[in-house]
Amino acid sequence: MNPRACRICPSLLLGSIFACITLIFCNGALAAPADQPPPSDAEHWRSILEQADSPGHQKAIACKYLAVYGSAQAVDPLARLLSDPQLASWARIALEAMPYEEAGAALRKAAGELEGRELVGVIQSLGVRRDEQAVDLLTRHLAGDDAEAAAAAAVALGQIAAPAALDALEAALNDQRPEVRNAAAEGLIVGAEQQLAIQDRRRATRYYDAVRQADVPATRIAEATRGAILARQAKGLSLLLEQLQQSDEDRFAMALTTARELGGTETAAALSDQLAAQPPHRRAMLLFALADLDDSTVMPRIVKHLADDDSRVQFAAVRAAAALGDEGVVDPLLRLAAGGDKQIAAAALQALEDLPGKAIDEALLERLDKSDATTRQAILRLAGKRRIHATEQLAEAAGDEQAEVRAAALAALGAVVGPAELSILIERVVDPQYAGDAAPAAKALGDAASRMPDQQAAARAVIEAMEGQDLATRTALLEVLGKIGGPTALEALQRAGLAGEPELEDVVTRVLGAWMNADAAPALLQIAQSANEQKYRVRALRGYLRIARQFKLPVDRRIAMAKQAIEHAERTEEKLLALEVLARSPSDEALQVLTTAAEDPDLSQAANEAAKAVREKL
Amino acid sequence: MTATTRRKFLGRFATGTAALGAPLLIPASALGRDGHTAPSERIVVGGIGIGRRGTYDLSCFLPEKDVQFVAVCDVKQKQRQAVKSMVDKHYGNSDCQVYRDLREIVARDDLDAMLIATGPNWHAAATAVALRAGKDVYCEKPCTKNVAESLALADLVRRTGRVFQAGTQRRNLPHFAFACELAATGRLGKLHTMHAHPAGMTAKTSGWANPEDAPPREVVDWDLYLGPAAWRPFNKAHLDGFNFEKGGGLVGGGVLEWGSHCVDLCQLANNADQQAAVEFHPPEDRRIEARYANGVKLIIREDGWLPLGSCPVRFEGDAGWVEAGDSGKLVVSSPELIAGQEVAEIGGYPATFHVRDFLDCVKSRSKPRAHADAMCASHITCHAANIALFLNRSVRYDNQTQQFIGDEEANRLRSEAKRAPWRV
């Protein structure tokens, strides 16, 4: 065998540069793709198999293509490989996929002649093909001396699922060999599933029950029990309950999985009946299952467990209440949300956020004035998350005596106010009732202003509010403008960045450095040239380069930006970043800039590497 | 596949986890986990094929207080010893047992769950071995190599009643989950187009490299390494499990690399956890277009993304759009869409939450976010796209019959025989 490798790219022949299937196979010569026959040339691939001296790797790839394109004429040469330990698996790839009766016949013939792993392989293929003509043959293997073949036959018979196949498997549940019994059980379960699929519940139940009575591993018993419950439908509930009452945790767990599949009000009721008698960890598991069952008739029982002594159960009850509850769970959940267990409180808050409907909104607002500070805070947080449009109540709460409540109210206002109410938040930024409220108010204003339908109008309102304010307020409002975005905000930020005040340079370079489109580039370049402090000039230039690097821009603009950056950079670090931009911009112009840059000793190595990258792309 | 309510969207997941903020998972105190977990309440975990990615996954399992990792199996001696050292160092003992043959590790009665992070060649077959042995499974992606394997694996999970989590951890990251929620609950209006990044449209089949002298079986068990893949002589170049038989057949690999993440998120966004797309077209302008039964378009494309990091997705409805990527950030057409919400910005696509979701479900017996049906549907969408790519023509898939419509060649690409005795 020649040690050189051949890369075959048949897709090039198919005319698609994307569908390139790379196959690395040994070959006598490094053949160009164009020299290869197309994958669909079944006759070519068949002839490779017919030639006794074709090397193994060629036969292997031939099998792969014949799996897709081979005709019935390819069956005989493929079948001859089934006894070859090295090529049998390749031949099966083709024979198993072929829709022809000839392929089935070849596999059956081989199953009568082969032994060992090759035999197991063809038995598996017969099972995958669901070859009913193989039932007698497989039944013989099931009873044969080769336990591995017998086990494979058992699974294959289950896949075929013909009545005779399943009868044979039922009998094999009494086989002396544990591994064969185990495989027979698996086959029978697979076969029973197929009976269920064709609505023959009686037969399915018979097979599941047969496995349940057999001397097979607990895993098979559990699988059969699941099937037996589902096959019986509503009548399976008693068997389900039997499992739930077992001390064996695996059977309990399987019962819960099965209950979820069975579904229905009766199942939910049966599970909820178990809540009182089970230990805490099982109560929690039952509650999770009830949540998944999505049947609200059991809510009264779930609510009781919101006050369960065991936090595991409480947590599960909260999740169930979130899934199934209505306004009736608002009070118990609010109590938990304000309680001392942080994890339960978080879960309760989440549940209150998830509960759907206006009735929940109303129930929460009703309780706002009547609650303690912790609960008020929770309700306000929920008002924001649920977007309850109750501006008046929220604004009133923003004047609460407790700072945390005020902050929660401001955040909620940020989530709900409309354009006409933006002034409520602006006022609290420029003239806060309490000094500490300015920051949360500014955050809320940013949240609100940035989602206004007319962003320019929102920006103008903020800009107007900046007039005559102290530095701290202007800084906060510039951050808000950053959140709003758009040309009006950008213009104001640019003006502020060029005003010569370091505090403003700081905030503006930060904000523009994260601008979400390329419009900020000119402003950043201007600030990079004129900011008072070098650190802000550097930051501005880096923001400028970020735009060149990350946004989709015409190549010539990208190159122009890199060129400008090199020109104005005060440090080598930024010049190197500009070279990276050029490296990603394959053009002659980029090469020219890089050639010039290479004359700088600090840049020469990076510039040459970038130029190399550009040339490769060109 | 119509828009669902928020409660139903969240309730679909085991713990009803919050899509916003850090995922709300079962707390330490729930189900017996309080930081001082009794040994009887610990989840005893073993690992199969813990290499580069698996070591990361393992690093997410080990800190969990209710996990006791006790055994590792690898066909490569060096690797199993390295993992044993890592585990022993973590626990300060030398108890981690090593195995070469996965059948031996899953035969242990004390193991509850398996972490499977072999190469893609083994993912489904090893999962099947573990499920049949009664273990719950966390399996790295891509979990399957073809359509038939996806269906068989989902069936097996259902039949065995075990908990299965595909390693598509983005489902459990807040910003991706929120983006999906916006689409799934109708907040973007009527969803019409989704975009997914494939990370390549080239499928690879490892083939048959030059024979080399095989090391002793104890050092590398070549036969077990090949496992379900067709036989070929030993060659150390094949030992890179990440790339070996990634696609398995003539197709595979390709859009499945990131598709198993990004297409998977699109499925979630389209409420299509039980349904693959139904129509696939060959690529044009570096884009593969597919369509779901509800008319929603899926565009698998390489470029044109906002700078939000790797594995980006974008969902477009008639009232807005959202785009998210691995930076942890998302961009929405209107801030109105995120008003009142605090979407935690978690970059770097950690699997921590996803592993915790799996462990919680091992205890609650609920379905984790990346359950087997979801895996099955999203993997089939990727496999079918690859088949359209390979055949270079449009194909149509029927979710009921689980066949391609009127296309024998496409149907012959649905499956690939496994080398005996391995199966799913």
Side-chain angles (χ1 to χ4, degrees):
Chain A
M1 192 173 287
N2 191 304
R4 286 192 289 165
C6 170
R7 290 169 65 86
I8 306 169
C9 193
S11 60
L12 291 178
L13 299 158
L14 288 170
S16 163
I17 57 167
F18 300 114
C20 176
I21 308 296
T22 307
L23 295 161
I24 304 170
F25 277 74
C26 311
N27 203 342
L30 188 66
D35 297 337
Q36 297 297 319
S40 57
D41 186 351
E43 190 49 36
H44 168 77
W45 302 113
R46 189 184 68 80
S47 71
I48 284 179
L49 299 189
E50 295 283 16
Q51 292 160 26
D53 58 348
S54 296
H57 67 271
Q58 282 192 5
K59 289 182 177 174
I61 185 62
C63 290
K64 283 268 198 180
Y65 287 131
L66 288 170
V68 188
Y69 300 107
S71 69
Q73 279 73 49
V75 168
D76 281 347
L78 284 164
R80 285 196 284 276
L81 300 179
L82 289 172
S83 58
D84 181 333
Q86 297 185 353
L87 291 168
S89 46
W90 296 95
R92 280 180 47 236
I93 289 173
L95 290 169
E96 195 175 293
M98 285 177 159
Y100 317 121
E101 159 52 26
E102 289 87 338
L107 288 164
R108 290 195 297 275
K109 182 167 177 289
E113 296 166 352
L114 296 173
E115 52 188 28
R117 199 182 258 194
E118 285 67 55
L119 170 60
V120 170
V122 294
I123 288 174
Q124 286 182 189
S125 290
L126 288 167
V128 169
R129 290 174 64 90
R130 300 192 63 192
D131 187 340
E132 291 200 23
Q133 293 182 63
V135 169
D136 288 344
L137 171 75
L138 293 171
T139 303
R140 285 197 295 280
H141 280 299
L142 181 63
D145 294 337
D146 180 344
E148 200 175 0
V155 174
L157 285 165
Q159 289 169 312
I160 294 167
L166 299 181
D167 290 346
L169 288 172
E170 213 173 352
L173 289 174
N174 296 314
D175 195 285
Q176 295 298 305
R177 298 162 294 183
E179 65 271 38
V180 176
R181 290 201 301 278
N182 187 12
E186 186 188 338
L188 210 49
I189 292 166
V190 171
E193 263 178 15
Q194 297 198 25
Q195 305 308 302
L196 270 187
I198 57 169
Q199 300 298 316
D200 190 345
R201 297 186 177 279
R202 189 185 58 77
R203 283 182 80 88
T205 305
R206 174 182 137 194
Y207 297 135
Y208 285 130
D209 285 348
V211 175
R212 291 176 59 226
Q213 305 305 321
D215 178 16
V216 294
T219 45
R220 298 292 88 73
I221 303 277
E223 291 159 17
T225 305
R226 164 194 170 267
I229 293 166
L230 295 175
R232 286 177 168 89
Q233 294 180 296
K235 288 180 185 166
L237 262 183
S238 55
L239 183 55
L240 178 74
L241 279 174
E242 203 181 290
Q243 308 308 309
L244 289 171
Q245 287 157 359
Q246 299 287 328
S247 59
D248 184 305
E249 296 292 344
D250 287 339
R251 290 176 75 170
F252 183 80
M254 171 58 96
L256 291 182
T257 308
T258 311
R260 288 171 166 99
E261 291 183 86
L262 193 60
T265 299
E266 288 180 358
T267 306
L271 258 57
S272 66
D273 282 345
Q274 293 292 309
L275 281 167
Q278 296 285 0
H281 76 281
R282 283 191 170 194
R283 290 208 294 281
M285 291 173 80
L286 283 162
L287 285 162
F288 280 120
L290 286 169
D292 292 344
L293 277 169
D294 199 18
D295 188 297
S296 59
T297 58
V298 295
M299 260 321 288
R301 293 199 177 174
I302 290 170
V303 169
K304 282 207 294 197
H305 293 281
L306 288 172
D308 200 286
D309 291 339
D310 191 293
S311 65
R312 294 171 286 181
V313 183
Q314 257 189 322
F315 180 84
V318 169
R319 293 314 314 163
L324 309 172
D326 55 19
E327 56 271 33
V329 298
V330 168
D331 281 327
L333 286 176
L334 274 177
R335 275 196 293 278
L336 293 174
D341 185 325
K342 282 185 182 169
Q343 287 171 319
I344 299 282
L349 266 181
Q350 186 65 56
L352 286 163
E353 189 188 334
D354 295 346
L355 288 170
K358 292 279 176 208
I360 305 291
D361 294 347
E362 285 161 15
L364 287 168
L365 287 178
E366 267 174 33
R367 287 151 179 80
L368 183 57
D369 294 336
K370 302 167 191 165
S371 304
D372 59 31
T374 312
T375 308
R376 288 206 300 283
Q377 206 181 320
I379 292 172
L380 289 164
R381 207 176 141 193
L382 288 163
K385 286 183 176 293
R386 295 178 64 89
R387 308 208 59 206
I388 307 173
H389 198 89
T391 316
E392 205 174 313
Q393 271 178 282
L394 298 178
E396 197 182 321
D400 195 283
E401 58 190 20
Q402 300 278 338
E404 293 84 358
V405 177
R406 291 198 304 277
L410 287 167
L413 283 166
V416 305
V417 294
E421 299 152 329
L422 210 55
S423 57
I424 297 173
L425 288 167
I426 290 177
E427 195 181 318
R428 280 167 166 81
V429 177
V430 299
D431 185 20
Q433 194 179 344
Y434 300 89
D437 288 356
K443 172 156 189 334
L445 176 60
D447 291 344
S450 62
R451 62 179 169 76
M452 293 296 122
D454 184 348
Q455 289 191 324
Q456 305 317 308
R460 280 193 297 275
V462 172
I463 293 164
E464 276 170 29
M466 286 169 67
E467 292 295 324
Q469 299 300 329
D470 59 26
L471 193 60
T473 305
R474 278 187 289 148
T475 303
L477 291 172
L478 285 169
E479 299 258 17
V480 172
L481 287 175
K483 280 193 177 180
I484 298 172
T488 307
L490 179 59
E491 199 186 317
L493 282 158
Q494 185 173 6
R495 257 197 324 272
L498 297 171
E501 292 186 68
E503 291 84 352
L504 297 183
E505 287 171 2
D506 181 10
V507 67
V508 168
T509 51
R510 239 183 321 106
V511 166
L512 294 185
W515 206 254
M516 281 310 287
N517 60 37
D519 295 352
L524 282 163
L525 184 62
Q526 211 179 346
I527 295 167
Q529 296 168 59
S530 59
N532 270 332
E533 297 207 12
Q534 193 205 23
K535 61 183 175 184
Y536 302 132
R537 291 198 298 273
V538 167
R539 191 194 278 167
L541 194 61
R542 283 182 164 248
Y544 181 74
L545 283 164
R546 165 188 166 265
I547 289 172
R549 213 170 43 241
Q550 291 188 355
F551 289 95
K552 197 169 184 178
L553 299 171
V555 172
D556 54 348
R557 184 172 173 200
R558 200 187 302 278
I559 293 166
M561 287 178 74
K563 208 171 157 185
Q564 289 271 22
I566 293 171
E567 202 173 302
H568 295 292
E570 299 169 51
R571 310 185 317 167
T572 304
E573 290 97 315
E574 283 68 45
K575 289 180 182 172
L576 290 171
L577 287 176
L579 297 184
E580 282 178 25
V581 173
L582 291 166
R584 295 179 197 182
S585 311
S587 73
D588 291 337
E589 201 183 344
L591 278 178
Q592 280 173 20
V593 181
L594 287 165
T595 306
T596 309
E599 290 166 13
D600 181 338
D602 290 341
L603 302 180
S604 88
Q605 188 185 343
N608 286 328
E609 281 170 11
K612 190 179 163 201
V614 169
R615 278 190 208 99
E616 279 169 7
K617 284 176 191 161
L618 285 173
Chain B
M1 291 197 289
T2 51
T4 187
T5 63
R6 181 169 194 272
R7 170 151 76 171
K8 284 213 182 297
F9 179 80
L10 296 177
R12 193 182 297 156
F13 308 118
T15 49
T17 53
L20 312 171
L24 181 64
L25 302 169
I26 297 181
S29 57
L31 302 176
R33 189 168 66 89
D34 56 4
H36 303 283
T37 313
S40 62
E41 290 180 331
R42 283 187 202 141
I43 301 170
V44 183
V45 183
I48 298 175
I50 309 300
R52 200 168 38 209
R53 176 68 194 174
T55 301
Y56 169 73
D57 291 336
L58 180 58
S59 76
C60 297
F61 274 82
L62 287 176
E64 297 297 327
K65 293 274 192 288
D66 54 349
V67 163
Q68 187 73 31
F69 194 93
V70 298
V72 62
C73 171
D74 205 296
V75 296
K76 299 173 193 169
Q77 184 182 48
K78 197 173 161 188
Q79 196 57 35
R80 55 182 179 261
Q81 289 302 332
V83 175
K84 174 180 163 54
S85 299
M86 177 181 172
V87 174
D88 287 347
K89 188 177 173 195
H90 175 81
Y91 291 120
N93 59 30
S94 57
D95 293 350
C96 182
Q97 299 293 304
V98 293
Y99 298 85
R100 181 175 47 79
D101 188 328
L102 76 170
R103 287 164 295 200
E104 291 172 16
I105 191 173
V106 302
R108 283 177 62 140
D109 284 341
D110 62 334
L111 288 175
D112 300 307
M114 304 301 302
L115 163 61
I116 293 176
T118 58
N121 172 49
W122 255 113
H123 281 161
T127 297
V129 170
L131 292 170
R132 287 196 177 92
K135 314 302 181 196
D136 297 328
V137 173
Y138 182 105
C139 177
E140 259 306 327
K141 68 91 208 172
C143 303
T144 67
K145 297 197 284 190
N146 53 56
V147 171
E149 205 173 63
S150 310
L151 293 163
L153 193 57
D155 278 347
L156 186 61
V157 170
R158 206 174 298 121
R159 187 182 307 135
T160 54
R162 308 314 310 181
V163 172
F164 172 87
Q165 175 90 304
T168 47
Q169 74 277 12
R170 287 167 179 83
R171 279 189 171 231
N172 259 313
L173 286 173
H175 67 299
F176 279 123
F178 181 66
C180 292
E181 183 193 323
L182 287 178
T185 58
R187 301 265 313 276
L188 302 177
K190 186 171 165 39
L191 185 66
H192 56 72
T193 310
M194 307 184 293
H195 302 255
H197 195 305
M201 290 191 182
T202 303
K204 288 181 181 169
T205 296
S206 302
W208 178 311
N210 306 317
E212 292 176 353
D213 290 339
R217 200 167 68 153
E218 269 307 306
V219 177
V220 175
D221 190 325
W222 178 243
D223 184 64
L224 272 175
Y225 179 80
L226 288 176
W231 185 90
R232 66 213 74 193
F234 174 84
N235 182 301
K236 60 180 173 299
H238 282 322
L239 285 177
D240 168 16
F242 181 75
N243 286 312
F244 179 66
E245 286 291 297
K246 200 164 194 170
L250 282 171
V251 294
V255 307
L256 189 63
E257 175 52 37
W258 276 1
S260 49
H261 284 300
C262 301
V263 170
D264 179 61
L265 290 169
C266 292
Q267 299 262 148
L268 180 60
N270 192 25
N271 292 304
D273 269 356
Q274 312 285 338
Q275 301 253 303
V278 296
E279 193 177 294
F280 302 83
H281 302 290
E284 275 180 32
D285 298 331
R286 296 164 63 79
R287 296 149 72 97
I288 292 177
E289 198 170 304
R291 187 181 59 78
Y292 288 83
N294 64 353
V296 172
K297 245 196 286 186
L298 168 68
I299 295 171
I300 302 170
R301 61 177 161 94
E302 293 276 30
D303 47 27
W305 298 94
L306 294 176
L308 296 173
S310 50
C311 265
V313 287
R314 179 184 172 96
F315 310 128
E316 296 169 351
D318 58 14
W321 56 262
V322 58
E323 188 164 330
D326 278 344
S327 61
K329 295 180 192 301
L330 56 79
V331 178
V332 285
S333 54
S334 161
E336 189 67 27
L337 290 167
I338 49 173
Q341 309 295 350
E342 293 153 24
V343 184
E345 207 176 87
I346 300 174
Y349 51 94
T352 327
F353 304 122
H354 204 54
V355 166
R356 188 62 247 170
D357 176 33
F358 169 68
L359 296 170
D360 290 342
C361 290
V362 168
K363 292 186 166 186
S364 71
R365 311 313 295 171
S366 287
K367 280 186 181 180
R369 281 203 169 194
H371 55 83
D373 290 340
M375 174 282 298
C376 176
S378 59
H379 278 57
I380 287 176
T381 297
C382 294
H383 293 312
N386 278 340
I387 287 172
L389 188 70
F390 175 74
L391 294 173
N392 198 30
R393 64 165 178 260
S394 299
V395 296
R396 288 185 298 145
Y397 181 74
D398 184 330
N399 280 289
Q400 294 302 312
T401 62
Q402 301 167 342
Q403 300 275 328
F404 290 94
I405 299 167
D407 193 328
E408 184 188 306
E409 286 163 1
N411 280 320
R412 287 166 74 164
L413 286 161
R414 282 176 76 255
S415 65
E416 185 183 79
K418 291 185 171 30
R419 196 169 66 105
W422 307 107
R423 63 194 170 93
V424 175

